[in-house]
Amino acid sequence: MSKETDTRKMQLLLQYAAKIAETRELDNLLAEIADMGRLLIGADRSTVWLLDEEKGILWTKVAHGVSRIEVPMDSGIVGESVKTKETIVSNDPYSLPFFNRDVDRSTGYTTKSLLTIPMFDEEGNVFGVFQCTNKITEDYKFTEEDVTLLHFITSYAEKTILAAQLAKEIEATQIEIIFLMSEIGESRSKETGNHVKRVAAVSERLAQLAGLSESDVSLLLHASPMHDIGKVAIPDSVLLKPGKLTDEEYATMKNHTAIGYHLLSSSKRPIIKAASIVTHEHHEKWNGSGYPRGIAGEDIHIFGRITAIADVFDALACARIYKPAWEKERVRKLFEEESGRHFDPELCKIFLEHFEEFYEIVDQYKDV
Ligand code: C2E
Ligand code: SIN
Ligand code: SIN
Ligand code: SIN
Ligand code: FE
Ligand code: FE
């Protein structure tokens, strides 16, 4: 390999490593790793196959120029590589008895050479295969150097894919635990799980309509059910009181914001961090007359301003232990009056423009 090629490959490698480090979606990761392999090796195509043992297949979303391919896990060169756990260099694949001609038949592509490397998890089990197709040289042959280089890329791919899968699992677990915690918190105030579902769904939709990024919308969706988690520290005599609260009881009740914040604020996890903001700020008001800090306007985090609308909407549109639900028109009127006072006027405008849609969301999760 010439010095120039070395330098170019090094550049490519660094470029992709940087891009891959920023990528979180598994599909995009696979596409970038496949691309990196193809360019570094100088192959016409590259494919990351993943093994689905339950279904007995190998499948891919990221084959170049073709949509999802699915083959039986024991078929073809890929299947052979999974079975034997060996790297297979085939510079004349049609001569191999186990070459799967169906793939070419269905893609209309002619495979002239294949470099196939199995990918292993930490326990040494094969979970997929990295494959390059048709070396772009006159003789189409993959060399020993290609094998070495693709081994290096494959071990990088293994670690990246496993890390992404683990991150996804951890996030899913977090989301589940957070939702369960919220439900447990609400069950004490005799609310069903529907209350947290409604606040979550209303917050999510309002965040979308307000133009928040997809990742912020998702953060808020998962964080907003936690807004009242601080009520775990409020005594039953206050929390479950059927009628109006005394001033003193109301002062006790107001502590649920600061309590929730202190419970959650030490976490570095994005969803918990978002939840700590929501618990802290969902009773702040646009004009500064809210609690616990009395902050105003955009000093209140957008997550807090959105959840404030979702929370009050739910408190009015649905019955509470201390009062029945309000008529729809009365609810609308309150939001019109409180725009710019309790609520962010821009959010309030969007909310009122889609008022019927929000009622439909609430009706979906109505308590019976
Ligand atoms: P919540 O029931 O989820 O109510 C959330 C917010 O909705 C309230 O925050 C308030 O801003 C609004 N809201 C609820 N009901 C009404 C209403 O009848 N009229 C108007 N204008 N707004 C209403 P707030 O006031 O800070 O209360 C926080 C939490 O304190 C409430 O959550 C509820 O759990 C409790 N709470 C408030 N007032 C009473 C009460 O009179 N009796 C009892 N038992 N609990 C109360
Ligand atoms: C691929 O090479 O990426 C897909 C299989 C083929 O078309 O031969
Ligand atoms: C095979 O692995 O036998 C065929 C896969 C391909 O053509 O890409
Ligand atoms: C809530 O509104 O968030 C809790 C339910 C209740 O106060 O009854
Ligand atoms: Fe609250
Ligand atoms: Fe609430």
Side-chain angles (χ1 to χ4, degrees), residues 47 49 69 71 75-80 93-94 98-104 107 109 111 113-114 116 131-133:
T47 316
W49 299 83
I69 307 173
V71 299
S75 96
I77 293 172
V78 278
E80 187 69 13
Y94 273 84
F98 43 79
F99 176 64
N100 184 356
R101 292 157 194 242
D102 292 347
V103 176
D104 274 6
T107 58
Y109 187 78
T111 301
S113 55
L114 282 170
T116 308
Q131 192 171 53
C132 282
T133 314

Side-chain angles (χ1 to χ4, degrees), residues 34 55 90 92 124 129 143 157 169 191 245 252 312 339:
K55 293 193 186 136
S90 36
D92 184 14
V129 177
T143 63
E169 250 170 67
E191 285 283 329
L245 301 178
T252 303
V312 173
S339 173

Side-chain angles (χ1 to χ4, degrees), residues 186 189 191 195 227-228 231 239 253 311 314-315 320-322:
E186 291 299 343
S189 52
E191 285 283 329
H195 170 57
H227 69 275
D228 276 333
K231 284 183 181 172
L239 188 66
M253 179 58 100
D311 186 36
D314 197 71
R320 285 287 188 270
I321 194 163
Y322 61 96

Side-chain angles (χ1 to χ4, degrees), residues 148-250:
T148 307
L149 195 50
L150 198 63
H151 265 132
F152 169 72
I153 295 164
T154 302
S155 76
Y156 180 61
E158 284 165 352
K159 291 182 180 62
T160 311
I161 292 167
L162 292 173
Q165 281 171 343
L166 194 62
K168 224 174 163 174
E169 250 170 67
I170 290 172
E171 200 184 87
T173 310
Q174 262 182 43
I175 289 169
E176 221 176 285
I177 290 174
I178 286 169
F179 189 76
L180 283 173
M181 278 172 63
S182 312
E183 275 196 314
I184 291 165
E186 291 299 343
S187 66
R188 255 193 74 232
S189 52
K190 299 282 189 288
E191 285 283 329
T192 64
N194 286 340
H195 170 57
V196 289
K197 282 185 195 141
R198 288 189 304 256
V199 172
V202 169
S203 301
E204 177 192 29
R205 186 68 188 124
L206 187 52
Q208 275 170 351
L209 291 168
L212 268 65
S213 71
E214 220 177 286
S215 66
D216 278 349
V217 171
S218 156
L219 266 184
L220 185 59
L221 166 68
H222 299 303
S224 60
M226 298 275 270
H227 69 275
D228 276 333
I229 197 73
K231 284 183 181 172
V232 294
I234 305 300
D236 280 354
S237 59
V238 176
L239 188 66
L240 302 181
K241 184 172 175 178
K244 252 200 133 13
L245 301 178
T246 64
D247 288 352
E248 201 183 322
E249 287 165 340
Y250 192 41

Side-chain angles (χ1 to χ4, degrees), residues 6-77:
D6 267 357
T7 310
R8 196 187 59 82
K9 286 193 174 173
M10 189 65 82
Q11 280 171 347
L12 262 177
L13 203 62
L14 289 174
Q15 214 178 313
Y16 271 94
K19 224 165 47 169
I20 286 166
E22 290 171 355
T23 307
R24 296 193 59 223
E25 273 301 305
L26 187 59
D27 290 353
N28 298 340
L29 262 181
L30 294 177
E32 269 156 26
I33 291 170
D35 240 16
M36 176 172 77
R38 183 176 67 84
L39 289 170
L40 280 171
I41 301 294
D44 187 40
R45 297 185 172 202
S46 63
T47 316
V48 178
W49 299 83
L50 293 179
L51 181 62
D52 184 336
E53 271 180 297
E54 234 163 75
K55 293 193 186 136
I57 56 161
L58 281 153
W59 65 278
T60 173
K61 272 187 184 170
V62 294
H64 283 274
V66 280
S67 51
R68 179 185 169 115
I69 307 173
E70 211 178 281
V71 299
M73 63 180 271
D74 54 0
S75 96
I77 293 172

